[in-house]
Amino acid sequence: MGKTIVITGAGDGLGRALARRFAADGETVVLLGRTAAKVEAVAAELGASHLALACDIADPASVRAAFAKIAEVHPKIDVLINNASIYEPFTLAEVRDDQVVASLMTNVAGTIFCAREALPLLRGNGHIINVSSEAVAIKMAMLWLYAGGKAGMELMSDIWARELADDGVRVTVVQAGQMMDETKTGTSWPMDVAMRFMQDNAKIGLNPRERPISHYNSVTDAFRAVVDMPADLHIRHVALTADRRAQP
């Protein structure tokens, strides 16, 4: 029997690639995203058995409403993939209040809200997969809040794994590197911000343009492997980086 997999941030990027991969593998996918039109378009592409719901993970009421709807259709889910996040560079001196709140509410609190509401549906052989970033290890300039939020999420995940063991729920962190597909042609950051990001990282010996980039579809293989782990094997942490040898 196929699994029921809930994916946040499923309207584009890695979330969309994961939805396509798991649907192609015969799983039932629930797509959550802040923009209804995006997740509905992906769900329509995948077929009638898949469900798309608008959900702002930074809003606990929105998360509660989404998982209440999920429970009506799927009283049991097998996997929650916390993929949605905000990725924005800034310095401490310039960061605005709204940027701090948005980053923490999406990248940290949103993961908590979704895991909490999914837990009753996951108990008894469920799996939470939290998507992190290589930014935690690399410590790039201007990404301190993004990386800090992901580092906090990794720590929470380790503790959740112990806390939820008696509930039959596994928790895995997948730390991913730079990813792209044919629809992603560049950054959406303002040009001046993007230029300062490159300059500030060059000062500490990092050149983001020289870092290899993997395809979203390749990254989905790792998630497939994590989901398919046998019951007597628990992978707590997976670290993925692009391989320069495979670059065109």
Side-chain angles (χ1 to χ4, degrees), residues 20-31:
R20 288 171 172 167
R21 169 62 185 269
F22 285 121
D25 290 346
E27 320 292 9
T28 299
V29 179
V30 179
L31 303 95

Side-chain angles (χ1 to χ4, degrees), residues 140-151:
M140 282 186 169
M142 297 181 70
L143 286 181
W144 51 272
L145 186 52
Y146 173 74
K150 290 296 187 182

